[in-house]
Amino acid sequence: MTLPLPKRIINHMITVLYFARLREALGRSSETIALPAAVSDVEGLRALLVARGGEWEQELAPSKPVRAAVNQAMAHGDTQVADGDEVAFFPPVTGG
């Protein structure tokens, strides 16, 4: 008989970095966040931040073009986020 895995009791701590227009609009370049047990990926983290309302909702809305990286590797919404990870949010970069 297999016992169910216990639910996470201690929140995972991650570092979130904001670059370019996000840093300016949100008024910070980084923060440490204790992730609720329900947040396990980049999409969930972004939704958590959007739920703060105000500038957070405007700048990180799903309709806004925002890129993410986890531990300096490009990430998608379903990329998992784990304890100790560094997640960066930034606008798309264009150039010539």
Coordinates of all heavy atoms in Angstrom, one line a residue:
M1 N 0.8 -1.2 0.0 CA 0.0 0.0 0.0 C 0.9 1.2 0.0 O 1.8 1.4 0.8 CB -0.9 0.0 1.2 CG -1.8 1.2 1.4 SD -2.9 0.9 2.7 CE -3.1 2.5 3.3
T2 N 0.6 2.2 -0.9 CA 1.3 3.4 -1.0 C 0.6 4.5 -0.2 O -0.6 4.7 -0.4 CB 1.5 3.8 -2.5 OG1 2.1 2.8 -3.2 CG2 2.3 5.1 -2.6
L3 N 1.4 5.1 0.7 CA 0.8 6.3 1.4 C 0.9 7.5 0.6 O 1.9 7.7 -0.1 CB 1.5 6.4 2.7 CG 1.4 5.3 3.7 CD1 2.3 5.5 4.9 CD2 0.0 5.1 4.1
P4 N -0.1 8.4 0.7 CA 0.0 9.7 0.0 C 1.1 10.5 0.5 O 1.5 10.5 1.7 CB -1.4 10.3 0.2 CG -1.9 9.7 1.5 CD -1.3 8.3 1.5
L5 N 1.7 11.3 -0.4 CA 2.8 12.2 0.1 C 2.2 13.3 0.9 O 1.1 13.8 0.6 CB 3.5 12.8 -1.2 CG 4.2 11.8 -2.0 CD1 4.8 12.5 -3.3 CD2 5.4 11.2 -1.3
P6 N 2.9 13.7 1.9 CA 2.4 14.8 2.8 C 2.4 16.1 2.0 O 3.2 16.3 1.1 CB 3.4 14.9 3.9 CG 4.6 14.3 3.4 CD 4.2 13.3 2.4
K7 N 1.4 17.0 2.3 CA 1.4 18.3 1.6 C 2.5 19.1 2.2 O 3.0 18.9 3.3 CB 0.0 19.0 1.9 CG -1.1 18.3 1.2 CD -2.3 19.2 1.2 CE -3.4 18.4 0.4 NZ -4.3 19.3 -0.2
R8 N 3.0 20.0 1.4 CA 4.1 20.9 1.8 C 3.6 21.7 3.0 O 2.6 22.4 2.9 CB 4.5 21.8 0.6 CG 5.7 22.6 0.8 CD 6.1 23.3 -0.4 NE 5.0 24.1 -0.9 CZ 5.1 24.9 -2.0 NH1 6.2 24.9 -2.7 NH2 4.1 25.6 -2.4
I9 N 4.4 21.7 4.0 CA 4.0 22.5 5.2 C 4.8 23.8 5.2 O 4.2 24.8 5.5 CB 4.4 21.6 6.5 CG1 3.5 20.4 6.5 CG2 4.2 22.5 7.7 CD1 3.9 19.4 7.6
I10 N 6.1 23.7 4.9 CA 6.9 24.9 4.9 C 6.9 25.5 3.4 O 7.1 24.8 2.5 CB 8.3 24.6 5.3 CG1 8.3 24.1 6.7 CG2 9.2 25.9 5.2 CD1 9.6 23.6 7.2
N11 N 6.6 26.8 3.3 CA 6.6 27.4 2.0 C 8.0 27.5 1.4 O 9.0 27.7 2.1 CB 6.1 28.9 2.1 CG 4.6 28.9 2.4 OD1 3.9 27.9 2.3 ND2 4.1 30.1 2.8
H12 N 8.0 27.2 0.1 CA 9.3 27.4 -0.6 C 9.6 28.9 -0.7 O 8.8 29.7 -1.0 CB 9.2 26.8 -2.0 CG 9.0 25.4 -2.1 ND1 9.8 24.5 -1.4 CD2 8.2 24.6 -2.8 CE1 9.5 23.2 -1.7 NE2 8.5 23.3 -2.5
M13 N 10.9 29.2 -0.5 CA 11.3 30.6 -0.6 C 12.1 30.7 -2.0 O 12.9 29.9 -2.3 CB 12.3 30.9 0.5 CG 11.7 30.8 1.9 SD 10.3 32.0 2.2 CE 11.2 33.5 2.1
I14 N 11.6 31.7 -2.7 CA 12.3 32.0 -4.0 C 12.6 33.5 -4.1 O 12.1 34.3 -3.3 CB 11.4 31.6 -5.2 CG1 10.1 32.5 -5.2 CG2 11.0 30.2 -5.2 CD1 9.3 32.5 -6.5
T15 N 13.6 33.8 -5.0 CA 13.9 35.2 -5.3 C 13.3 35.5 -6.6 O 13.5 34.8 -7.6 CB 15.4 35.3 -5.3 OG1 16.0 35.0 -4.0 CG2 15.8 36.8 -5.6
V16 N 12.7 36.7 -6.6 CA 12.0 37.1 -7.9 C 12.8 38.4 -8.3 O 12.9 39.3 -7.5 CB 10.5 37.4 -7.7 CG1 9.9 37.8 -9.1 CG2 9.8 36.1 -7.2
L17 N 13.2 38.5 -9.5 CA 13.9 39.7 -10.1 C 13.0 40.3 -11.1 O 12.3 39.6 -11.9 CB 15.2 39.2 -10.7 CG 16.2 38.4 -9.9 CD1 17.4 38.0 -10.7 CD2 16.6 39.2 -8.7
Y18 N 13.0 41.7 -11.2 CA 12.3 42.4 -12.2 C 13.2 43.3 -12.9 O 14.1 44.0 -12.3 CB 11.2 43.3 -11.5 CG 10.3 42.5 -10.5 CD1 10.6 42.5 -9.1 CD2 9.3 41.8 -11.0 CE1 9.8 41.8 -8.3 CE2 8.5 41.0 -10.1 CZ 8.7 41.0 -8.8 OH 7.9 40.3 -7.9
F19 N 13.1 43.3 -14.3 CA 14.0 44.1 -15.1 C 13.3 45.1 -16.0 O 12.1 44.9 -16.2 CB 14.8 43.1 -16.0 CG 15.8 42.2 -15.3 CD1 15.4 41.0 -14.8 CD2 17.0 42.7 -14.9 CE1 16.3 40.2 -14.1 CE2 17.9 42.0 -14.2 CZ 17.6 40.7 -13.8
A20 N 14.0 46.1 -16.4 CA 13.6 47.1 -17.4 C 12.3 47.8 -16.9 O 12.2 48.2 -15.7 CB 13.4 46.5 -18.7
R21 N 11.3 47.9 -17.7 CA 10.0 48.6 -17.4 C 9.3 48.0 -16.2 O 8.7 48.7 -15.4 CB 9.1 48.7 -18.6 CG 8.4 47.4 -18.9 CD 7.2 47.6 -19.9 NE 6.8 46.4 -20.5 CZ 6.0 45.5 -19.9 NH1 5.6 45.8 -18.6 NH2 5.6 44.4 -20.4
L22 N 9.5 46.7 -16.0 CA 8.9 46.1 -14.8 C 9.5 46.7 -13.5 O 8.8 47.0 -12.5 CB 9.0 44.6 -14.8 CG 8.2 43.9 -16.0 CD1 8.5 42.4 -16.0 CD2 6.7 44.2 -15.9
R23 N 10.8 46.7 -13.5 CA 11.5 47.3 -12.3 C 11.0 48.7 -12.0 O 10.7 49.1 -10.9 CB 13.0 47.2 -12.5 CG 13.8 47.8 -11.4 CD 15.3 47.8 -11.6 NE 15.6 48.6 -12.8 CZ 16.3 48.2 -13.8 NH1 16.8 47.0 -13.8 NH2 16.5 49.0 -14.8
E24 N 10.9 49.5 -13.1 CA 10.5 50.9 -12.9 C 9.0 51.0 -12.4 O 8.7 51.7 -11.5 CB 10.7 51.6 -14.2 CG 12.1 51.7 -14.8 CD 13.1 52.2 -13.8 OE1 12.8 53.3 -13.2 OE2 14.2 51.6 -13.7
A25 N 8.2 50.3 -13.1 CA 6.7 50.3 -12.7 C 6.4 49.8 -11.3 O 5.6 50.3 -10.6 CB 5.9 49.6 -13.8
L26 N 7.1 48.7 -11.0 CA 6.8 48.0 -9.7 C 7.6 48.6 -8.5 O 7.4 48.3 -7.4 CB 7.1 46.5 -9.8 CG 6.3 45.9 -10.9 CD1 6.7 44.4 -11.1 CD2 4.8 46.0 -10.7
G27 N 8.6 49.4 -8.9 CA 9.4 50.1 -7.8 C 10.3 49.2 -7.0 O 10.7 49.6 -5.9
R28 N 10.7 48.1 -7.6 CA 11.7 47.3 -7.0 C 12.4 46.4 -8.0 O 11.9 46.1 -9.1 CB 11.1 46.4 -5.9 CG 10.1 45.4 -6.5 CD 9.4 44.6 -5.4 NE 8.5 45.4 -4.7 CZ 7.8 45.0 -3.6 NH1 8.0 43.8 -3.2 NH2 7.0 45.8 -3.0
S29 N 13.6 46.0 -7.7 CA 14.4 45.2 -8.6 C 14.3 43.7 -8.2 O 14.6 42.8 -9.1 CB 15.8 45.6 -8.8 OG 16.5 45.6 -7.5
S30 N 14.0 43.4 -7.0 CA 13.9 42.0 -6.5 C 13.2 42.0 -5.2 O 12.9 43.0 -4.5 CB 15.3 41.5 -6.3 OG 16.0 42.1 -5.2
E31 N 12.8 40.7 -4.9 CA 12.2 40.4 -3.6 C 12.2 38.9 -3.3 O 12.4 38.1 -4.3 CB 10.7 40.9 -3.6 CG 9.8 40.2 -4.5 CD 8.3 40.7 -4.4 OE1 7.8 40.7 -3.3 OE2 7.8 41.0 -5.5
T32 N 12.1 38.6 -2.1 CA 12.0 37.2 -1.7 C 10.6 36.9 -1.4 O 10.0 37.6 -0.6 CB 13.0 36.9 -0.5 OG1 14.3 37.2 -0.9 CG2 12.9 35.4 -0.1
I33 N 10.1 35.8 -1.9 CA 8.7 35.4 -1.7 C 8.6 34.0 -1.2 O 9.3 33.1 -1.6 CB 7.9 35.5 -3.1 CG1 7.9 36.9 -3.6 CG2 6.5 34.9 -2.9 CD1 7.2 37.0 -4.9
A34 N 7.7 33.8 -0.2 CA 7.4 32.5 0.3 C 6.2 32.0 -0.5 O 5.1 32.6 -0.5 CB 7.0 32.6 1.8
L35 N 6.4 31.0 -1.3 CA 5.3 30.5 -2.2 C 4.3 29.7 -1.5 O 4.6 28.8 -0.7 CB 5.9 29.6 -3.3 CG 6.7 30.2 -4.4 CD1 7.2 29.1 -5.4 CD2 5.9 31.3 -5.1
P36 N 3.0 30.1 -1.7 CA 1.9 29.2 -1.1 C 2.0 27.8 -1.7 O 2.5 27.7 -2.9 CB 0.7 30.0 -1.6 CG 1.1 31.3 -1.9 CD 2.5 31.2 -2.4
A37 N 1.5 26.9 -1.0 CA 1.6 25.5 -1.5 C 0.9 25.3 -2.9 O 1.3 24.5 -3.7 CB 0.9 24.5 -0.5
A38 N -0.1 26.1 -3.2 CA -0.8 26.0 -4.5 C 0.0 26.5 -5.7 O -0.4 26.3 -6.8 CB -2.1 26.8 -4.4
V39 N 1.1 27.2 -5.4 CA 1.9 27.8 -6.5 C 3.1 26.9 -6.8 O 4.0 26.7 -5.9 CB 2.4 29.2 -6.2 CG1 3.3 29.8 -7.3 CG2 1.2 30.1 -6.0
S40 N 3.2 26.3 -8.0 CA 4.3 25.4 -8.3 C 5.0 25.7 -9.6 O 6.0 25.0 -9.9 CB 3.8 23.9 -8.3 OG 2.8 23.8 -9.3
D41 N 4.5 26.7 -10.3 CA 5.1 27.0 -11.6 C 5.1 28.5 -11.9 O 4.5 29.3 -11.1 CB 4.4 26.2 -12.7 CG 2.9 26.5 -12.9 OD1 2.4 27.5 -12.4 OD2 2.2 25.6 -13.5
V42 N 5.7 28.9 -13.0 CA 5.8 30.3 -13.3 C 4.4 30.9 -13.5 O 4.2 32.0 -13.1 CB 6.7 30.5 -14.6 CG1 6.7 31.9 -15.1 CG2 8.1 30.0 -14.3
E43 N 3.5 30.2 -14.2 CA 2.2 30.8 -14.4 C 1.5 31.0 -13.0 O 0.9 32.1 -12.9 CB 1.3 29.8 -15.2 CG 0.0 30.3 -15.5 CD -0.8 29.3 -16.4 OE1 -0.2 28.5 -17.0 OE2 -2.1 29.4 -16.4
G44 N 1.6 30.1 -12.1 CA 1.0 30.3 -10.8 C 1.7 31.5 -10.0 O 1.0 32.2 -9.4
L45 N 3.0 31.6 -10.2 CA 3.7 32.8 -9.6 C 3.2 34.1 -10.2 O 2.9 35.0 -9.4 CB 5.2 32.6 -9.7 CG 6.0 33.8 -9.3 CD1 5.8 34.1 -7.8 CD2 7.5 33.5 -9.6
R46 N 3.1 34.1 -11.5 CA 2.6 35.3 -12.1 C 1.2 35.7 -11.7 O 0.9 36.8 -11.4 CB 2.7 35.2 -13.6 CG 2.5 36.4 -14.4 CD 2.8 36.3 -15.9 NE 2.4 37.4 -16.7 CZ 2.6 37.5 -17.9 NH1 3.3 36.6 -18.6 NH2 2.2 38.6 -18.6
A47 N 0.3 34.7 -11.5 CA -1.0 34.9 -11.1 C -1.0 35.5 -9.6 O -1.8 36.3 -9.3 CB -1.8 33.7 -11.2
L48 N -0.1 34.9 -8.8 CA 0.0 35.4 -7.4 C 0.4 36.9 -7.4 O -0.2 37.6 -6.6 CB 1.0 34.5 -6.7 CG 1.4 34.9 -5.3 CD1 0.2 34.5 -4.4 CD2 2.6 34.2 -4.8
L49 N 1.3 37.2 -8.2 CA 1.8 38.6 -8.3 C 0.7 39.6 -8.9 O 0.5 40.7 -8.4 CB 3.0 38.8 -9.1 CG 4.3 38.0 -8.5 CD1 5.4 38.0 -9.5 CD2 4.7 38.6 -7.2
V50 N 0.0 39.1 -9.9 CA -1.1 39.9 -10.5 C -2.2 40.1 -9.4 O -2.8 41.2 -9.4 CB -1.7 39.1 -11.7 CG1 -3.1 39.7 -12.1 CG2 -0.7 39.2 -12.9
A51 N -2.4 39.2 -8.6 CA -3.5 39.3 -7.5 C -3.2 40.4 -6.5 O -4.1 40.9 -5.8 CB -3.6 38.0 -6.8
R52 N -2.0 41.0 -6.5 CA -1.7 42.1 -5.7 C -2.4 43.4 -6.1 O -2.6 44.3 -5.4 CB -0.2 42.4 -5.7 CG 0.7 41.4 -5.0 CD 2.1 41.7 -5.2 NE 3.0 40.8 -4.4 CZ 4.3 40.8 -4.4 NH1 5.0 41.7 -5.1 NH2 4.9 39.9 -3.6
G53 N -2.9 43.4 -7.4 CA -3.6 44.5 -7.9 C -2.7 45.7 -8.3 O -1.5 45.6 -8.4
G54 N -3.3 46.8 -8.7 CA -2.6 48.0 -9.1 C -1.6 47.8 -10.2 O -1.9 47.2 -11.2
E55 N -0.4 48.3 -10.0 CA 0.6 48.2 -11.0 C 1.0 46.7 -11.3 O 1.3 46.4 -12.4 CB 1.9 48.9 -10.6 CG 1.7 50.4 -10.5 CD 1.5 51.1 -11.8 OE1 2.0 50.6 -12.8 OE2 0.7 52.0 -11.9
W56 N 0.9 45.9 -10.3 CA 1.2 44.5 -10.5 C 0.2 43.8 -11.5 O 0.7 43.1 -12.4 CB 1.1 43.7 -9.1 CG 2.1 44.2 -8.2 CD1 1.9 45.2 -7.2 CD2 3.4 43.8 -8.0 NE1 3.0 45.4 -6.5 CE2 4.0 44.6 -7.0 CE3 4.2 42.8 -8.6 CZ2 5.3 44.4 -6.5 CZ3 5.5 42.7 -8.2 CH2 6.1 43.5 -7.2
E57 N -1.0 44.1 -11.3 CA -2.0 43.6 -12.2 C -1.9 44.2 -13.6 O -2.0 43.4 -14.6 CB -3.4 44.0 -11.7 CG -4.6 43.4 -12.5 CD -5.9 43.6 -11.9 OE1 -6.0 44.5 -11.0 OE2 -6.9 43.0 -12.3
Q58 N -1.5 45.4 -13.7 CA -1.3 46.1 -15.1 C -0.1 45.5 -15.8 O -0.2 45.2 -17.0 CB -1.2 47.6 -14.9 CG -2.5 48.2 -14.5 CD -2.3 49.7 -14.2 OE1 -1.2 50.2 -14.2 NE2 -3.4 50.4 -14.0
E59 N 1.0 45.5 -15.1 CA 2.3 45.1 -15.7 C 2.4 43.6 -16.0 O 3.1 43.2 -16.9 CB 3.5 45.6 -14.9 CG 3.5 47.1 -14.8 CD 3.7 47.8 -16.2 OE1 4.4 47.2 -17.0 OE2 3.2 48.9 -16.4
L60 N 1.8 42.8 -15.2 CA 2.0 41.3 -15.3 C 0.8 40.6 -15.8 O 0.7 39.4 -15.8 CB 2.5 40.7 -14.0 CG 3.9 41.2 -13.5 CD1 4.1 40.8 -12.0 CD2 4.9 40.7 -14.4
A61 N -0.2 41.4 -16.3 CA -1.4 40.8 -16.8 C -1.1 39.8 -17.9 O -0.1 39.9 -18.6 CB -2.3 41.9 -17.3
P62 N -1.9 38.7 -18.0 CA -1.6 37.7 -19.0 C -1.6 38.3 -20.5 O -0.9 37.7 -21.3 CB -2.8 36.7 -18.9 CG -3.3 36.9 -17.5 CD -3.0 38.4 -17.1
S63 N -2.3 39.4 -20.7 CA -2.2 40.0 -22.0 C -0.9 40.8 -22.3 O -0.7 41.1 -23.4 CB -3.4 40.9 -22.2 OG -3.4 42.0 -21.2
K64 N -0.1 41.0 -21.3 CA 1.1 41.8 -21.4 C 2.2 40.8 -21.9 O 2.4 39.7 -21.4 CB 1.5 42.4 -20.1 CG 0.7 43.6 -19.7 CD 1.1 44.8 -20.5 CE 0.7 46.1 -19.8 NZ 1.3 47.2 -20.3
P65 N 3.1 41.3 -22.8 CA 4.2 40.5 -23.2 C 5.3 40.5 -22.2 O 6.0 41.5 -22.0 CB 4.6 41.1 -24.5 CG 4.2 42.5 -24.4 CD 3.0 42.5 -23.6
V66 N 5.4 39.5 -21.4 CA 6.4 39.4 -20.3 C 7.1 38.0 -20.4 O 6.4 37.0 -20.6 CB 5.8 39.5 -18.9 CG1 6.8 39.3 -17.8 CG2 5.1 40.9 -18.8
R67 N 8.4 38.1 -20.4 CA 9.2 36.8 -20.5 C 9.6 36.4 -19.0 O 9.6 37.3 -18.1 CB 10.4 37.0 -21.3 CG 10.1 37.4 -22.7 CD 9.5 36.3 -23.5 NE 9.3 36.7 -24.9 CZ 8.1 36.9 -25.4 NH1 7.0 36.8 -24.7 NH2 8.0 37.3 -26.7
A68 N 10.0 35.2 -18.9 CA 10.4 34.7 -17.6 C 11.6 33.8 -17.7 O 11.8 33.1 -18.8 CB 9.3 34.0 -16.8
A69 N 12.4 33.7 -16.7 CA 13.5 32.8 -16.7 C 13.6 32.2 -15.3 O 13.3 32.9 -14.3 CB 14.9 33.5 -17.0
V70 N 13.9 30.9 -15.2 CA 14.1 30.3 -13.9 C 15.6 29.9 -13.8 O 16.0 29.1 -14.7 CB 13.2 29.1 -13.7 CG1 13.5 28.4 -12.4 CG2 11.7 29.6 -13.7
N71 N 16.3 30.4 -12.8 CA 17.7 30.0 -12.7 C 18.5 30.3 -13.9 O 19.3 29.5 -14.4 CB 17.9 28.6 -12.2 CG 17.2 28.4 -10.8 OD1 17.2 29.3 -10.0 ND2 16.6 27.2 -10.7
Q72 N 18.2 31.5 -14.6 CA 18.8 32.0 -15.7 C 18.6 31.2 -17.0 O 19.3 31.3 -18.0 CB 20.3 32.2 -15.5 CG 20.6 33.2 -14.3 CD 22.0 33.4 -14.1 OE1 22.9 33.1 -14.9 NE2 22.3 34.1 -13.0
A73 N 17.6 30.4 -17.0 CA 17.2 29.6 -18.2 C 15.8 30.1 -18.6 O 14.9 30.2 -17.7 CB 17.2 28.1 -18.0
M74 N 15.5 30.4 -19.9 CA 14.2 30.8 -20.3 C 13.2 29.8 -19.9 O 13.4 28.6 -19.9 CB 14.2 31.0 -21.8 CG 15.1 32.1 -22.4 SD 14.6 33.7 -21.7 CE 13.0 34.0 -22.3
A75 N 12.0 30.4 -19.5 CA 11.0 29.5 -18.9 C 9.6 29.8 -19.6 O 9.4 30.9 -20.1 CB 10.9 29.8 -17.4
H76 N 8.7 28.8 -19.4 CA 7.4 29.0 -19.9 C 6.4 28.9 -18.7 O 6.9 28.6 -17.6 CB 7.0 27.8 -20.9 CG 7.9 27.9 -22.1 ND1 7.6 28.7 -23.1 CD2 8.9 27.1 -22.5 CE1 8.6 28.5 -24.1 NE2 9.3 27.6 -23.7
G77 N 5.2 29.1 -18.9 CA 4.2 29.1 -17.8 C 4.2 27.9 -17.0 O 4.0 27.9 -15.8
D78 N 4.5 26.7 -17.6 CA 4.4 25.4 -16.9 C 5.8 25.0 -16.3 O 5.9 23.9 -15.8 CB 3.9 24.3 -17.8 CG 4.7 24.1 -19.1 OD1 5.7 24.9 -19.3 OD2 4.4 23.1 -19.8
T79 N 6.8 25.9 -16.4 CA 8.1 25.6 -15.8 C 7.9 25.6 -14.3 O 7.4 26.5 -13.7 CB 9.1 26.6 -16.2 OG1 9.2 26.6 -17.7 CG2 10.5 26.3 -15.6
Q80 N 8.4 24.5 -13.7 CA 8.3 24.4 -12.2 C 9.2 25.3 -11.5 O 10.2 25.7 -12.0 CB 8.6 22.9 -11.8 CG 7.6 21.9 -12.4 CD 6.2 22.1 -11.8 OE1 6.0 22.0 -10.6 NE2 5.3 22.4 -12.7
V81 N 8.7 25.7 -10.3 CA 9.5 26.6 -9.4 C 9.7 25.9 -8.1 O 8.7 25.4 -7.5 CB 8.7 28.0 -9.2 CG1 9.5 28.8 -8.3 CG2 8.5 28.7 -10.5
A82 N 10.9 25.8 -7.7 CA 11.2 25.1 -6.5 C 11.9 25.9 -5.4 O 12.4 27.1 -5.8 CB 12.1 23.9 -6.8
D83 N 12.0 25.4 -4.2 CA 12.7 26.1 -3.2 C 14.1 26.6 -3.6 O 14.9 25.8 -4.1 CB 12.8 25.2 -1.9 CG 13.2 26.0 -0.7 OD1 12.8 27.1 -0.5 OD2 14.0 25.4 0.1
G84 N 14.4 27.8 -3.3 CA 15.7 28.4 -3.6 C 15.9 28.9 -5.1 O 16.9 29.5 -5.4
D85 N 14.9 28.7 -5.9 CA 15.0 29.2 -7.3 C 15.0 30.7 -7.4 O 14.5 31.4 -6.5 CB 13.8 28.7 -8.1 CG 14.0 27.2 -8.6 OD1 15.1 26.7 -8.4 OD2 13.0 26.7 -9.1
E86 N 15.6 31.2 -8.5 CA 15.6 32.6 -8.8 C 14.7 32.7 -10.1 O 15.0 32.0 -11.1 CB 17.0 33.0 -9.1 CG 17.1 34.5 -9.6 CD 18.5 34.8 -10.0 OE1 18.8 34.6 -11.2 OE2 19.2 35.3 -9.2
V87 N 13.7 33.5 -10.0 CA 12.8 33.7 -11.1 C 12.9 35.1 -11.6 O 12.7 36.0 -10.7 CB 11.3 33.3 -10.8 CG1 10.4 33.6 -12.0 CG2 11.2 31.9 -10.3
A88 N 13.1 35.4 -12.9 CA 13.2 36.7 -13.4 C 12.1 37.0 -14.4 O 11.7 36.1 -15.1 CB 14.6 36.9 -14.1
F89 N 11.5 38.2 -14.3 CA 10.5 38.6 -15.2 C 11.0 39.8 -15.9 O 11.6 40.7 -15.3 CB 9.2 39.0 -14.5 CG 8.4 37.8 -13.9 CD1 8.4 37.6 -12.6 CD2 7.7 37.0 -14.8 CE1 7.7 36.5 -12.0 CE2 7.0 35.9 -14.3 CZ 7.0 35.7 -12.9
F90 N 10.8 39.9 -17.2 CA 11.3 41.0 -18.0 C 10.5 41.1 -19.3 O 10.0 40.1 -19.8 CB 12.8 40.8 -18.4 CG 13.2 39.4 -18.9 CD1 13.2 39.2 -20.3 CD2 13.4 38.4 -18.0 CE1 13.5 37.9 -20.8 CE2 13.7 37.1 -18.5 CZ 13.7 36.9 -19.9
P91 N 10.5 42.3 -19.9 CA 9.8 42.5 -21.2 C 10.6 41.9 -22.3 O 11.8 41.7 -22.2 CB 9.7 44.0 -21.3 CG 10.8 44.6 -20.5 CD 11.0 43.6 -19.4
P92 N 9.9 41.6 -23.4 CA 10.7 41.0 -24.6 C 11.7 42.0 -25.0 O 11.6 43.2 -24.9 CB 9.6 40.8 -25.6 CG 8.3 41.0 -25.0 CD 8.5 41.7 -23.7
V93 N 12.8 41.5 -25.5 CA 14.0 42.3 -25.9 C 14.0 42.3 -27.4 O 13.9 41.2 -28.0 CB 15.3 41.8 -25.3 CG1 16.4 42.6 -25.8 CG2 15.2 41.8 -23.8
T94 N 14.1 43.4 -28.0 CA 14.3 43.5 -29.5 C 15.5 44.2 -29.8 O 16.1 45.0 -28.9 CB 13.1 44.2 -30.2 OG1 13.0 45.6 -29.7 CG2 11.8 43.5 -29.9
G95 N 16.0 44.0 -30.9 CA 17.3 44.7 -31.2 C 17.7 44.4 -32.7 O 17.0 43.7 -33.4
G96 N 18.7 45.0 -33.1 CA 19.2 44.8 -34.4 C 20.6 44.4 -34.5 O 21.3 44.2 -33.6

